Amino acid sequence: MCTEMQGLTDTHTHLSYLSGKGIANDCIDNLFNEGFGFMLDIGTRAGDLAGRVKCLSCYNNVRFACGIWPHREFLDNPEENAAKMEKDIDGAPESLVVAIGECGFDKRENPQFSCGEERLLELQLDIAARKCLPVIIHSRDAPEQTIAALSRFPSVHGVIHCFSYTGSEAKTFLDMGYYISFAGNLTYKNAHNLRSALLYIPQDRLLLETDCPYLAPSFHRGKVCHPGMIIETYKAAAEILKIDIIELKRLIAENARKLFRVDTQA
Ligand SMILES: [Zn+2]
């Protein structure tokens, strides 16, 4: 059977949030039955791994990242949170956790500079370095801070998720060895900066994601986003890059396989 879902890779999902938004596991079952290739489920707080694994362990093609998003509530005790997260990883079955993240800076959550935010990221970069895992970086309205923090950990690589900057920042992250990932906002009417940044990304450093349940592509705007909607982002990217969508699916699967060392089944 060949469907539009065949061979798709979604490198950034929050699948365990979907049921709370009215989307049942049937949706994920159907996507995999239709040939969807691979989904990476992302952590946002210490201690969240066990619950996520519990609701998703039935899927062979889902792997996990562990990370702490820079929520204000975590910034007073970064050490304690990072230690708890590391325990999550150490207690998980081999090869289930394939990355650290999401972690980083969010200027909307934390408009003032906070040592706690920087420390929380550094602790997670240190875990990534020690465990030789890639990182998934969240960076909103804080490109300089992000570049400065990442450059202190040159052995660590990963992906700048839901890329929201311009080609010039993309170039800096690429030079530092990072992949760049675009989400559904690539399809938004006013996202000219993202569409032109996409053209800067070498094909072997590009990833695509939904960040579901957030950021539904414009075709589905206003709805709760699920991984199947990523097809709209693939279509938009294929059009901008002037490549065939089958080739783009192959390329993204290959890039995810390389970065996260997973079997993406494309
Ligand atoms: Zn996310």
Side-chain angles (χ1 to χ4, degrees):
M1 184 176 58
C2 190
T3 73
E4 269 196 325
M5 297 297 118
Q6 191 78 41
L8 286 170
T9 303
D10 186 346
T11 59
H12 194 112
T13 67
H14 299 279
L15 298 176
S16 56
Y17 297 175
L18 290 178
S19 59
K21 302 254 180 196
I23 294 183
N25 267 20
D26 293 4
C27 166
I28 311 297
D29 294 344
N30 291 340
L31 292 174
F32 282 129
N33 287 339
E34 287 175 33
F36 203 105
F38 175 79
M39 300 173 196
L40 184 58
D41 191 70
I42 308 296
T44 56
R45 54 178 64 225
D48 70 3
L49 180 67
R52 291 189 290 131
V53 171
K54 197 171 163 203
C55 59
L56 300 166
S57 62
C58 50
Y59 302 112
N60 289 330
N61 299 1
V62 175
R63 289 292 178 276
F64 298 86
C66 277
I68 306 166
W69 202 90
H71 285 292
R72 245 170 276 172
E73 61 185 292
F74 303 140
L75 306 186
D76 289 339
N77 47 6
E79 273 80 9
E80 197 184 302
N81 276 290
K84 189 173 170 192
M85 187 195 90
E86 190 164 2
K87 237 185 202 169
D88 287 349
I89 302 170
D90 292 341
E94 178 95 36
S95 76
L96 202 62
V97 175
V98 299
I100 301 296
E102 55 189 297
C103 50
F105 293 107
D106 193 292
K107 266 273 168 62
R108 262 182 251 174
E109 172 82 3
N110 305 302
Q112 307 298 335
F113 174 78
S114 152
C115 299
E117 193 178 25
E118 191 166 54
R119 183 76 184 130
L120 186 61
L121 174 59
E122 286 182 348
L123 287 162
Q124 293 181 85
L125 291 168
D126 179 62
I127 293 172
R130 285 189 282 106
K131 296 194 178 299
C132 295
L133 289 171
V135 287
I136 296 153
I137 297 296
H138 170 94
S139 179
R140 180 152 59 176
D141 300 338
E144 292 87 7
Q145 254 174 304
T146 307
I147 289 162
L150 298 186
S151 57
R152 289 195 285 276
F153 291 82
S155 71
V156 176
H157 300 300
V159 54
I160 309 300
H161 112 86
C162 192
F163 186 74
S164 57
Y165 302 128
T166 66
S168 122
E169 282 97 2
K171 188 180 177 317
T172 307
F173 288 121
L174 289 163
D175 288 346
M176 294 166 73
Y178 279 78
Y179 287 64
I180 305 288
S181 180
F182 291 86
N185 49 354
L186 181 72
T187 64
Y188 295 176
K189 207 170 153 201
N190 296 329
H192 307 292
N193 66 319
L194 298 184
R195 287 188 282 275
S196 62
L198 173 60
L199 292 165
Y200 277 87
I201 315 300
Q203 291 197 348
D204 62 353
R205 295 284 198 86
L206 175 66
L207 292 172
L208 296 174
E209 62 175 79
T210 52
D211 202 9
C212 68
Y214 315 110
L215 289 174
S218 57
F219 187 73
H220 299 287
R221 200 121 188 229
K223 294 187 198 154
V224 175
C225 184
H226 65 71
M229 292 181 184
I230 203 170
I231 187 68
E232 302 304 327
T233 309
Y234 273 75
K235 284 179 184 169
E239 198 182 317
I240 295 161
L241 297 170
K242 299 187 173 50
I243 62 173
D244 186 84
I245 194 149
I246 293 173
E247 173 61 11
L248 183 62
K249 287 178 179 178
R250 193 202 56 73
L251 195 76
I252 301 300
E254 176 61 24
N255 291 346
R257 187 159 38 226
K258 262 190 314 190
L259 179 61
F260 300 114
R261 287 168 279 176
V262 290
D263 184 1
T264 45
Q265 306 271 312

